[in-house]
Amino acid sequence: MLNNDCIFCKIIKGEIPCVKVYEDGKMLVFKDIEPKAKVHLLAVAKDHFKLISEADEARAELIKYMLMKIPQIAENNGCDNGYRLVINQGEDAGQTVFHLHIHILGGEPLEQ
């Protein structure tokens, strides 16, 4: 279920534009508007929940699905030599949009 106050839910519904690189019935992947690497994509679950700790069995399957799709999406978008996945969980971790999403960073050597 989507949340009317969530920016990612608004992007999923098409109310806010984005540069999509992949979409199916379970997830949307688009370019981050403030990239931290040459390639910086956001893989967003189409089910609104904030944290991995909120995942029930169905949401855990959704996270698994996303993680299985990401390698091909990353490779198709210029991350041939590797990429980094980041899932910020909570304010102290730097999460600014409280809708589960996975950052995909790559396209160049990344600092440790």
Side-chain angles (χ1 to χ4, degrees):
M1 175 176 254
L2 297 177
N3 178 320
N4 290 331
D5 297 324
C6 172
I7 190 167
F8 286 169
C9 289
K10 290 178 181 182
I11 290 170
I12 290 166
K13 291 189 281 187
E15 295 172 4
I16 296 175
C18 70
V19 179
K20 293 179 188 180
V21 299
Y22 178 83
E23 183 174 19
D24 64 24
K26 297 180 180 184
M27 65 188 283
L28 171 65
V29 183
F30 56 92
K31 293 184 178 185
D32 193 301
I33 61 170
E34 294 181 6
K36 308 295 187 228
K38 183 177 178 184
V39 175
H40 187 168
L41 307 174
L42 298 174
V44 179
K46 286 194 171 180
D47 182 12
H48 179 86
F49 61 106
K50 300 174 187 177
L51 304 168
I52 292 172
S53 60
E54 296 177 353
D56 56 14
E57 228 15 77
R59 288 176 172 165
E61 284 298 317
L62 174 58
I63 295 166
K64 175 184 171 186
Y65 175 84
M66 292 173 70
L67 291 171
M68 297 297 292
K69 295 296 268 183
I70 284 173
Q72 189 62 53
I73 295 165
E75 186 177 317
N76 290 347
N77 285 278
C79 297
D80 314 30
N81 288 329
Y83 53 91
R84 180 176 296 156
L85 300 180
V86 177
I87 306 174
N88 297 321
Q89 294 289 277
E91 289 179 27
D92 285 355
Q95 186 176 11
T96 57
V97 178
F98 291 91
H99 180 127
L100 185 84
H101 59 286
I102 303 169
H103 295 261
I104 305 165
L105 301 132
E108 64 185 343
L110 301 173
E111 293 184 22
Q112 293 295 325

